Amino acid sequence: MPVSDVSTWDLESLFPGGFEGARWTEKLSWVEARVVDIVAEADALGDPKTDDRWDTVLPALERLSKVAGSLFAYAHCRTADDVADVDGNKAVARLGGIWARISRAWTNPEQRIARADDETFAALCARPALAEQVPRFVDMRAASHLLL
Protein backbone atom coordinates (compact mmCIF):
# COMPACT_ATOMS: atom_id res chain seq x y z
CA MET A 1 0.00 0.00 0.00
CA PRO A 2 1.54 3.34 -1.01
CA VAL A 3 2.21 5.95 1.65
CA SER A 4 1.26 9.53 0.92
CA ASP A 5 3.82 12.31 1.22
CA VAL A 6 1.76 13.73 4.09
CA SER A 7 2.51 10.60 6.15
CA THR A 8 6.28 10.71 5.76
CA TRP A 9 8.87 12.30 7.99
CA ASP A 10 11.65 14.61 7.04
CA LEU A 11 14.20 13.39 9.57
CA GLU A 12 16.99 15.27 7.82
CA SER A 13 15.41 18.56 8.89
CA LEU A 14 15.63 17.52 12.56
CA PHE A 15 19.30 16.57 12.55
CA PRO A 16 20.97 17.58 9.28
CA GLY A 17 23.67 15.05 8.47
CA GLY A 18 22.06 12.43 10.71
CA PHE A 19 24.24 10.78 13.32
CA GLU A 20 27.34 12.32 11.76
CA GLY A 21 25.91 15.85 11.62
CA ALA A 22 27.10 18.69 13.80
CA ARG A 23 23.74 19.21 15.53
CA TRP A 24 23.46 15.53 16.52
CA THR A 25 27.03 15.22 17.75
CA GLU A 26 26.84 18.52 19.63
CA LYS A 27 23.63 17.60 21.46
CA LEU A 28 24.71 14.03 22.19
CA SER A 29 28.09 15.22 23.52
CA TRP A 30 26.34 17.76 25.76
CA VAL A 31 23.92 15.14 27.11
CA GLU A 32 26.68 12.63 27.78
CA ALA A 33 28.84 15.23 29.52
CA ARG A 34 25.98 16.51 31.67
CA VAL A 35 24.26 13.27 32.69
CA VAL A 36 26.93 12.11 35.16
CA ASP A 37 26.97 15.42 37.02
CA ILE A 38 23.20 15.79 37.12
CA VAL A 39 22.77 12.46 38.92
CA ALA A 40 25.16 13.60 41.65
CA GLU A 41 23.52 17.02 41.85
CA ALA A 42 20.03 15.54 42.10
CA ASP A 43 21.14 13.04 44.74
CA ALA A 44 22.60 15.88 46.81
CA LEU A 45 19.34 17.86 46.95
CA GLY A 46 18.22 18.48 50.49
CA ASP A 47 15.08 19.85 52.07
CA PRO A 48 13.04 21.63 49.38
CA LYS A 49 12.16 24.40 51.87
CA THR A 50 15.76 25.36 52.57
CA ASP A 51 17.99 24.00 49.80
CA ASP A 52 18.36 26.62 47.05
CA ARG A 53 19.94 24.07 44.69
CA TRP A 54 16.43 22.94 43.74
CA ASP A 55 16.15 26.19 41.72
CA THR A 56 18.99 25.18 39.42
CA VAL A 57 19.10 21.39 39.50
CA LEU A 58 15.49 20.68 38.55
CA PRO A 59 15.39 23.05 35.55
CA ALA A 60 18.73 21.59 34.41
CA LEU A 61 17.41 18.07 34.80
CA GLU A 62 14.26 18.96 32.90
CA ARG A 63 16.30 20.47 30.05
CA LEU A 64 18.56 17.43 29.93
CA SER A 65 15.50 15.17 29.85
CA LYS A 66 14.02 17.10 26.92
CA VAL A 67 17.22 17.12 24.86
CA ALA A 68 17.89 13.44 25.51
CA GLY A 69 14.25 12.69 24.69
CA SER A 70 14.53 14.43 21.33
CA LEU A 71 17.68 12.46 20.51
CA PHE A 72 16.03 9.22 21.58
CA ALA A 73 12.92 9.95 19.49
CA TYR A 74 15.03 10.75 16.43
CA ALA A 75 17.06 7.55 16.79
CA HIS A 76 13.86 5.52 17.16
CA CYS A 77 12.35 7.15 14.09
CA ARG A 78 15.47 6.32 12.12
CA THR A 79 15.28 2.66 13.14
CA ALA A 80 11.54 2.54 12.52
CA ASP A 81 12.24 3.69 8.98
CA ASP A 82 15.00 1.09 8.54
CA VAL A 83 15.37 -1.66 11.15
CA ALA A 84 18.74 -2.60 9.67
CA ASP A 85 20.12 0.90 10.32
CA VAL A 86 23.22 -0.03 12.31
CA ASP A 87 23.95 3.56 13.33
CA GLY A 88 20.35 4.01 14.43
CA ASN A 89 20.38 0.86 16.53
CA LYS A 90 23.66 1.89 18.15
CA ALA A 91 22.22 5.30 18.93
CA VAL A 92 19.08 3.76 20.45
CA ALA A 93 21.21 1.51 22.67
CA ARG A 94 23.52 4.36 23.68
CA LEU A 95 20.60 6.63 24.50
CA GLY A 96 18.88 3.85 26.43
CA GLY A 97 21.81 3.90 28.84
CA ILE A 98 21.70 7.66 29.08
CA TRP A 99 17.95 7.60 29.67
CA ALA A 100 18.42 5.09 32.51
CA ARG A 101 20.79 7.55 34.20
CA ILE A 102 18.37 10.44 33.70
CA SER A 103 15.57 8.36 35.23
CA ARG A 104 17.91 7.62 38.12
CA ALA A 105 18.57 11.35 38.54
CA TRP A 106 14.85 11.99 38.98
CA THR A 107 14.62 9.46 41.85
CA ASN A 108 15.63 11.70 44.77
CA PRO A 109 13.60 14.75 43.69
CA GLU A 110 10.54 12.62 42.94
CA GLN A 111 10.73 10.84 46.29
CA ARG A 112 11.19 14.09 48.19
CA ILE A 113 8.26 15.68 46.38
CA ALA A 114 6.07 12.61 46.88
CA ARG A 115 6.79 12.50 50.61
CA ALA A 116 6.69 16.24 51.24
CA ASP A 117 4.22 17.56 53.74
CA ASP A 118 1.80 20.21 52.52
CA GLU A 119 3.93 23.11 53.79
CA THR A 120 7.08 21.85 52.07
CA PHE A 121 5.22 21.12 48.86
CA ALA A 122 3.68 24.60 48.86
CA ALA A 123 7.10 26.18 49.46
CA LEU A 124 8.59 24.24 46.56
CA CYS A 125 5.74 25.18 44.23
CA ALA A 126 6.08 28.85 45.24
CA ARG A 127 9.67 29.09 44.00
CA PRO A 128 9.69 31.34 40.90
CA ALA A 129 12.54 29.36 39.30
CA LEU A 130 10.39 26.23 39.42
CA ALA A 131 7.07 27.71 38.25
CA GLU A 132 7.13 25.78 34.96
CA GLN A 133 7.65 22.52 36.85
CA VAL A 134 4.69 22.83 39.22
CA PRO A 135 2.35 20.71 37.04
CA ARG A 136 4.98 17.96 37.06
CA PHE A 137 5.25 18.23 40.85
CA VAL A 138 1.50 17.90 41.19
CA ASP A 139 1.57 14.79 38.99
CA MET A 140 4.45 13.30 41.00
CA ARG A 141 2.62 13.85 44.23
CA ALA A 142 -0.66 12.48 42.90
CA ALA A 143 1.00 9.37 41.48
CA SER A 144 2.82 8.70 44.73
CA HIS A 145 -0.43 8.46 46.65
CA LEU A 146 -1.53 5.74 44.26
CA LEU A 147 1.64 3.76 44.91
CA LEU A 148 1.96 4.26 48.68
Side-chain angles (χ1 to χ4, degrees):
M1 179 173 166
V3 177
S4 75
D5 289 340
V6 175
S7 300
T8 59
W9 300 327
D10 177 13
L11 296 178
E12 182 66 19
S13 68
L14 299 175
F15 290 99
F19 298 122
E20 302 300 322
R23 185 165 184 222
W24 173 268
T25 55
E26 178 184 303
K27 288 190 178 292
L28 181 59
S29 294
W30 179 80
V31 166
E32 288 180 324
R34 190 67 183 103
V35 73
V36 174
D37 293 337
I38 201 75
V39 172
E41 292 168 16
D43 280 352
L45 288 173
D47 184 343
K49 284 192 292 189
T50 58
D51 189 343
D52 290 337
R53 293 175 297 177
W54 283 79
D55 291 347
T56 56
V57 173
L58 286 189
L61 182 52
E62 181 71 20
R63 181 171 171 354
L64 182 66
S65 297
K66 287 180 180 179
V67 173
S70 70
L71 294 171
F72 207 36
Y74 173 80
H76 274 284
C77 288
R78 281 276 303 262
T79 57
D81 184 49
D82 178 7
V83 295
D85 182 345
V86 174
D87 291 335
N89 285 308
K90 285 180 182 178
V92 167
R94 190 172 178 181
L95 286 157
I98 291 169
W99 196 254
R101 288 188 214 146
I102 291 171
S103 296
R104 167 63 185 82
W106 278 107
T107 302
N108 181 41
E110 285 179 352
Q111 287 179 355
R112 286 186 173 273
I113 290 167
R115 295 182 177 138
D117 60 37
D118 290 343
E119 180 184 342
T120 301
F121 186 75
L124 186 66
C125 292
R127 290 173 175 244
L130 302 177
E132 291 181 17
Q133 301 226 357
V134 170
R136 183 179 185 130
F137 298 163
V138 171
D139 290 345
M140 287 176 191
R141 200 164 191 221
S144 73
H145 293 299
L146 298 174
L147 300 175
L148 299 177

